[in-house]
RNA sequence: GCUGGCGUAGCUCAAUCGGUAGAGCACCUGCCUUGUAAGCAGGGGGUUAGGGGUUCGAGUCCCCUCGUCAGCUCCA
């Protein structure tokens, strides 16, 4: 372009920077650049300041901190090679190839103090453009073989830039796009968090590198707030609360399969009951289906070809004896032994799998298709909304299971909607309102939706994809819900909504879903008779509000910090006596409240009042109801509210019962969707 | 699955160089008769995850298995 000149942001925004030292970069026509590096400035270009507190500014700070960390690591551990070190949502990391093995916690402390020295020295960052050959030669000399690989991956038409900080012996250089802060002294608050293994380029066939995670903030105050939030998250960890509140347990005889203890089962079932009730008005019909199926079902659905890595298999004694007389089995055994001798693991497992006759279901859809096919269907009975809370089993790899959040045995608030393709829009609309209603009622304030569109590898015609994606998009626009596209992230059989639900700590979880599926109706040859008397193929919607109940439960525990709302709480009140004299009265109060359908227990033990209250509070019981001589004399109670965190004072037993009953009613759906 | 860490009483954790397995809480019993976050005393409770090895001797060192944690990968 003709009217370009070289300039720095520092010059262009001189007046603003003079008044605002937090400006550490700028967005020039949408691209983030340093304040100190000259760049070609187009006449009339838009230059917006980027401050250290902005998302973009934070990235600059963190990425610069990553460079400083790598510098410190290479000073302290000569021979360690650098790879990549980006800024991420919560901070940054840098992956190293360290021949002497992993970093220890002591190493981290040393690295951190070396970083502080580099920061205190105020070394300037400098950007430098270079040729591909020069860059190659430079990293060759330095022995940085990973950087050479990275250079090769940069497209030929893109410039190669280096960043240096420091000078002379203190200089450190990295292949880097930038941008960076002007000098290391701009880094105000840093912290190394953890160390972990990570594969070069994320591929498990590649060598394992040593990754150090850290974070950085524009001020010590912001860093402290972040560390405090980490602590809060730790305190709310559902695995910890699950133990403390007696919600669930695990056992090595069923790894990654939760055992819900009575209190946990109460909340879990309460969540199910809540949507089950709503199903009546929302037009769903609930069914109950088998756990174990002949593998022919999964051959029909496609799971046998694509999903057996995640499936549990089953068999029976009769089947095993039947194999004894099966000639084909004998020849399979020979093949198996040959494959074993040849060390062919894949073939051995294929042969064994071919003998297996039964499998645990990993999903409900195939059995719902069988139910659909059970008889001829008319257009008059569609849409058919089939709900199912049956347990599902999926084999998840050992490294991915996590408390209740990722398990091998779970249930979903699963339902499938079979409908004519032209009715799809109405069903999506209806479901979205239902979905937002439930999350609003459960106290979640913010949900982001993404529309995941066709992936490269897919089934179905382009017309079908157009229609399905169009329907999903149109409903969002009609309901005026903000959304983003998630390109190519749809399932291979159809597009879907992803719901990202934000919890009380501002963390986002992907919970429910809505997916459109043309594939299964084809595979199972589902049909309905239309008004024209001809056979038509329905489309199938997979939808869940909670998604996996186990996973939802884990999020809900952390969201509420274990303080479940009164209507879901396993124990709604504990009646505590001041002395043994009130034992009879306490039992009378419990009987009265229980008679109103409330879940109440008496604590008439020999503990002092303070200890009883402490125990009830640790158990997150919504009300601690104190009864002493004064209350017993007047048929009163003195409740203390968990949520208001205060003593409500003496009140007639009937008044308290009315208050508790009101709070024990499940919330109504919040009619208005929010996003 | 991979890399690394961890596994001691129901829970949270001690146990020096390889030398008699302990504490607090919880539980049980008794005393205390209690007024808004822990009253006092006593008692029971362990194949130190499981298996193998080294050693005069293993919670401790080595190997295998299982479980678990963090990260990576995965989540049709």
């Amino acid at each position: 372009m003709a009217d370009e000149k070289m300039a720095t942001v520092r010059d262009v925004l001189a007046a603003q920077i003079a008044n605002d030292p937090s400006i550490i970069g700028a967005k020039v026509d949408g691209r983030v650049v340093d304040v100190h590096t000259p760049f070609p400035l187009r006449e009339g270009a838009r230059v917006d300041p980027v401050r250290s507190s902005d998302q973009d500014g934070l990235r600059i700070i963190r990425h610069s901190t990553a460079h400083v960390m790598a510098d410190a690591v290479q000073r302290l551990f000569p021979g360690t090679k650098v790879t990549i070190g980006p800024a991420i949502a919560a901070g940054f990391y840098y992956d190293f190839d360290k021949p002497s093995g992993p970093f220890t916690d002591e190493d981290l402390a040393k690295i951190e103090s070396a970083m502080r020295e580099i920061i205190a020295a105020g070394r300037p960052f400098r950007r430098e453009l270079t040729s591909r050959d020069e860059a190659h030669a430079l990293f060759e000399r330095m022995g940085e073989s990973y950087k050479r690989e990275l250079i090769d991956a940069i497209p030929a038409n893109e410039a190669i830039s280096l960043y240096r900080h420091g000078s002379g012996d203190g200089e450190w250089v990295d292949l880097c796009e930038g941008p960076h802060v002007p000098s290391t002294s701009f880094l105000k608050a840093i912290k190394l968090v953890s160390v972990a293994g990570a594969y070069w380029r994320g591929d498990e066939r590649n060598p394992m590198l040593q990754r150090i995670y850290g974070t950085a903030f524009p001020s010590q105050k912001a860093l402290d707030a972040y560390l405090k939030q980490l602590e809060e998250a730790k305190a709310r960890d559902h695995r910890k609360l699950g133990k403390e509140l007696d919600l669930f347990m695990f056992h090595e005889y069923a790894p990654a399969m939760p055992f819900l203890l009575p209190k946990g089962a109460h909340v879990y079932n309460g969540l199910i009951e809540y949507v089950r009730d709503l199903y009546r008005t929302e037009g769903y019909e609930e069914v109950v289906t088998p756990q174990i199926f002949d593998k022919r079902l999964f051959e029909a659905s496609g799971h046998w070809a694509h999903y057996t890595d995640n499936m549990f298999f089953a068999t029976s004694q009769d089947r095993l004896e039947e194999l004894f007389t099966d000639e084909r089995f004998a020849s399979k055994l020979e093949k198996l032994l040959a494959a074993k001798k040849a060390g062919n693991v894949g073939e051995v497992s294929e042969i064994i799998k071919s003998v297996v006759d039964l499998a645990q279901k990993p999903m409900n859809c195939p059995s719902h298709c069988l139910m659909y096919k059970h008889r001829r269907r008319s257009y008059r009975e569609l849409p058919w909304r089939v709900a199912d809370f049956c347990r599902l089993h999926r084999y998840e790899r050992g490294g991915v299971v996590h408390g209740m959040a990722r398990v091998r045995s779970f249930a979903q608030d699963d339902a499938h909607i079979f409908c004519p393709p032209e009715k799809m829009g109405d069903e999506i609309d209806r479901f979205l309102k239902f979905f937002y209603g439930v999350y609003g009622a459960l106290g979640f304030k913010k949900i982001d939706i993404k529309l995941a569109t066709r992936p490269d590898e897919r089934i179905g015609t382009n017309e079908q994809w157009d229609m399905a994606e169009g329907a999903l998009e149109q409903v969002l626009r009609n309901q005026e819900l903000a959304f983003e596209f998630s390109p190519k992230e749809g399932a291979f059989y159809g597009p879907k909504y992803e719901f990202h639900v934000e919890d009380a700590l501002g963390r986002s979880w992907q919970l429910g879903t809505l997916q459109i599926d043309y594939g299964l109706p084809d595979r199972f040859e589902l049909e309905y008779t239309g008004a024209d008397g001809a056979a038509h193929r329905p489309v199938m919607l997979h939808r869940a509000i909670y998604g996996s109940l186990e996973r939802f439960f884990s999020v809900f525990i952390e969201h509420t910090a274990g303080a479940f709302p009164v209507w879901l709480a396993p124990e709604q009140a504990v009646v505590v006596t001041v002395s043994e004299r009130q034992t009879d009265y306490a039992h009378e109060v419990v009987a009265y409240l229980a008679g109103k359908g409330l879940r109440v227990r008496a604590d008439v033990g020999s503990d002092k009042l303070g200890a009883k209250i402490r125990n009830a509070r640790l158990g997150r019981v919504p009300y601690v109801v104190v009864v002493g001589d004064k209350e017993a004399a007047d048929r009163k109670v003195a409740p203390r509210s968990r949520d208001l965190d205060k003593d409500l004072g003496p009140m007639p037993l009937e008044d308290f019962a009315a208050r508790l009953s009101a709070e024990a009613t499940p919330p109504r759906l919040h009619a208005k969707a929010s996003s």
Side-chain angles (χ1 to χ4, degrees):
Chain A
M1 216 170 278
D3 43 2
E4 269 185 3
K5 57 172 188 182
M6 296 302 280
T8 68
V9 168
R10 192 175 271 147
D11 299 334
V12 178
L13 297 179
Q16 285 187 59
I17 290 173
N19 292 326
D20 186 351
S22 75
I23 296 176
I24 54 169
K27 245 186 184 166
V28 180
D29 287 337
R31 191 182 153 173
V32 183
V33 299
D34 299 334
V35 286
H36 56 290
T37 306
F39 64 96
L41 181 66
R42 182 174 58 80
E43 186 84 21
R46 203 180 149 77
V47 181
D48 296 315
V50 168
R51 295 177 175 81
S52 55
S53 53
D54 300 340
Q55 274 309 309
D56 287 328
L58 212 47
R59 291 188 75 82
I60 294 175
I61 286 175
R62 289 170 173 176
H63 188 179
S64 300
T65 310
H67 275 228
V68 170
M69 180 174 81
D71 179 1
V73 165
Q74 292 198 310
R75 281 161 200 256
L76 292 169
F77 304 95
T80 300
K81 294 182 189 177
V82 292
T83 66
I84 55 164
I88 54 174
F92 64 86
Y93 66 81
Y94 211 114
D95 285 348
F96 301 95
D97 183 354
K98 178 166 172 276
S100 55
F103 295 100
T104 63
D105 285 343
E106 293 84 68
D107 292 342
L108 283 197
K110 274 187 222 153
I111 295 165
E112 207 175 290
S113 57
M115 289 170 69
R116 291 188 203 290
E117 284 171 26
I118 295 167
I119 289 168
R123 302 181 195 280
F125 274 92
R126 294 190 316 280
R127 182 183 165 102
E128 182 178 304
L129 285 169
T130 180
S131 73
R132 192 165 297 259
D133 288 344
E134 278 168 6
H136 244 279
L138 173 68
F139 289 111
E140 181 77 48
R141 274 200 309 279
M142 296 169 64
E144 295 288 3
S145 48
Y146 294 93
K147 288 292 174 192
R148 285 187 359 244
E149 264 190 63
L150 291 173
I151 293 167
D152 293 337
I154 298 175
N157 57 343
E158 275 181 33
I160 291 181
S161 57
L162 304 176
Y163 266 86
R164 298 175 189 272
H165 65 255
S167 58
D169 285 347
E171 184 181 83
W172 192 80
V173 61
D174 198 1
L175 173 75
C176 181
E177 173 74 30
H180 281 284
V181 293
S183 132
T184 56
S185 62
F186 279 68
L187 306 175
K188 303 292 185 199
I190 61 157
K191 168 96 183 158
L192 299 188
V193 177
S194 61
V195 54
Y199 301 104
W200 169 233
R201 309 207 139 175
D203 189 327
E204 59 186 322
R205 288 164 303 192
N206 285 341
M208 175 71 66
L209 305 172
Q210 301 305 324
R211 172 172 298 180
I212 300 179
Y213 282 96
T215 193
F217 284 88
S219 67
Q220 190 62 38
K221 202 175 153 194
L223 173 60
D224 289 344
Y226 169 76
L227 294 176
K228 200 173 166 204
Q229 160 145 0
L230 279 191
E231 247 173 65
E232 178 65 23
K234 210 170 160 188
R236 287 177 181 233
D237 188 314
H238 74 277
R239 293 168 298 184
K240 181 170 139 77
L241 288 173
K243 235 183 249 178
E244 288 172 3
L245 301 180
D246 278 324
L247 301 174
F248 52 81
M249 57 167 264
F250 289 90
H251 194 279
E252 62 174 308
Y253 287 175
M257 303 195 193
F259 293 59
L260 286 155
L261 296 166
K263 285 179 182 169
H266 185 274
V267 180
Y268 183 94
N269 286 328
L271 290 166
I272 291 180
E273 277 313 311
Y274 186 59
V275 292
R276 180 177 268 148
D277 266 0
L278 295 168
Y279 277 165
R280 281 205 295 277
T281 47
E282 294 293 323
Y284 288 77
E285 293 183 311
E286 186 177 336
V287 298
V288 177
T289 47
Q291 257 344 283
I292 296 176
F293 291 85
D294 191 295
K295 77 169 164 195
R296 285 175 296 166
L297 176 71
F298 302 115
E299 283 168 349
S301 69
H303 287 95
W304 203 261
H306 300 290
Y307 203 66
T308 46
D309 281 358
N310 289 292
M311 284 168 70
F312 285 102
F313 305 114
T315 193
S316 64
Q317 182 67 26
D318 274 353
R319 166 68 174 171
L320 296 178
E321 288 175 12
E322 179 187 307
L323 290 173
F324 186 75
T325 55
D326 187 337
E327 282 311 310
R328 283 168 307 175
F329 179 60
S331 79
K332 274 181 186 172
L333 270 183
E334 280 166 28
K335 278 189 203 157
L336 185 138
L337 288 172
K340 161 76 179 148
K341 202 170 271 175
N344 191 337
V345 185
E347 192 174 344
V348 168
S349 82
E350 277 309 309
I351 294 170
I352 296 173
K353 215 161 78 186
S354 75
V355 177
V356 166
D357 55 332
L358 305 172
Q360 279 279 351
K361 67 176 167 187
M363 297 179 193
N364 285 312
C365 22
S367 36
H368 293 174
C369 287
L370 296 184
M371 281 178 157
Y372 182 97
K373 258 176 97 96
H374 176 59
R375 60 176 169 75
R376 268 211 87 74
R377 301 283 171 180
S378 152
Y379 75 97
R380 293 176 190 279
E381 59 185 305
L382 301 188
W384 190 38
R385 308 184 189 93
V386 203
D388 197 331
F389 295 99
C390 285
R391 293 208 75 70
L392 302 172
H393 290 83
R394 295 183 192 171
Y395 179 77
E396 303 281 2
R397 299 212 290 179
V400 306
V401 295
H402 179 85
M404 294 274 273
R406 185 91 178 261
V407 292
R408 293 178 176 148
S409 168
F410 62 101
Q412 295 179 299
D413 61 322
D414 202 6
H416 294 96
I417 302 172
F418 296 90
C419 73
E422 61 275 15
K423 287 270 185 69
M424 222 163 30
D426 293 343
E427 290 305 308
I428 297 167
D429 184 71
R430 213 182 152 113
F431 173 69
L432 260 190
K433 287 175 179 151
F434 189 9
F435 184 96
Y436 276 94
V438 169
Y439 277 90
L442 292 176
F444 291 91
K445 306 276 182 255
K446 187 165 180 284
I447 302 169
D448 292 324
I449 308 189
K450 287 189 177 162
L451 172 44
T453 58
R454 66 194 80 182
D456 293 331
E457 278 193 44
R458 58 178 186 266
I459 59 168
T461 64
N462 284 337
E463 289 70 38
Q464 286 175 328
W465 281 91
D466 288 342
M467 191 169 166
E469 288 171 1
L472 289 172
E473 185 178 345
Q474 193 54 50
V475 171
L476 291 174
R477 298 207 186 280
N478 290 348
Q479 292 196 21
E480 296 179 345
L481 288 168
F483 71 98
E484 284 175 29
F485 285 101
S486 197
K488 299 189 181 187
E489 288 294 314
F492 74 87
Y493 51 75
K496 63 182 179 186
Y497 288 146
E498 290 171 7
F499 298 101
H500 299 262
V501 178
E502 193 170 285
D503 73 7
L505 293 186
R507 300 169 302 178
S508 179
W509 306 91
Q510 197 179 329
L511 295 168
T513 185
L514 170 73
Q515 314 190 352
I516 295 177
D517 185 358
Y518 289 101
L520 272 187
D522 266 351
R523 282 183 163 273
F524 282 95
E525 300 177 314
L526 305 184
E527 292 180 340
Y528 64 91
T529 307
D532 56 1
H536 300 271
R537 180 131 302 159
V539 66
M540 197 174 167
L541 307 184
H542 306 251
R543 44 106 294 162
I545 293 174
Y546 300 130
S548 152
L549 260 306
E550 275 69 7
R551 188 164 143 77
F552 181 84
F553 191 25
S554 77
V555 172
F556 194 58
I557 290 168
E558 298 187 5
H559 179 64
T560 59
F564 301 117
V566 175
W567 66 279
L568 276 172
E571 284 177 345
Q572 295 167 320
V574 176
V575 179
V576 304
T577 49
V578 174
S579 80
E580 269 176 10
R581 286 191 301 278
Q582 300 90 35
T583 302
D584 289 345
Y585 179 60
H587 288 309
E588 189 187 328
V589 169
V590 166
Y592 177 80
L593 294 171
K596 305 262 177 200
L598 298 165
R599 299 182 291 277
V600 188
R601 168 176 65 90
D603 181 353
V604 297
S606 63
D607 280 337
K608 290 198 152 197
L609 182 61
K612 292 182 186 178
I613 289 173
R614 178 169 191 270
N615 288 335
R617 289 177 64 137
L618 287 176
R620 314 291 201 279
V621 181
Y623 286 97
V624 184
V625 179
V626 177
V627 293
D629 286 336
K630 284 178 282 183
E631 288 78 15
D634 303 340
R635 197 176 158 78
K636 284 188 171 176
V637 292
R640 157 180 273 284
S641 159
R642 172 196 71 190
D643 297 328
L644 301 176
D645 191 22
K646 71 177 207 196
D647 179 357
L648 303 178
M651 65 173 73
L653 174 57
E654 290 72 17
D655 291 3
F656 175 67
R659 178 189 178 114
L660 191 56
S661 293
E663 289 183 39
T665 310
R668 304 182 55 138
L669 282 192
H670 284 215
K672 234 181 96 199
S674 63
S675 167

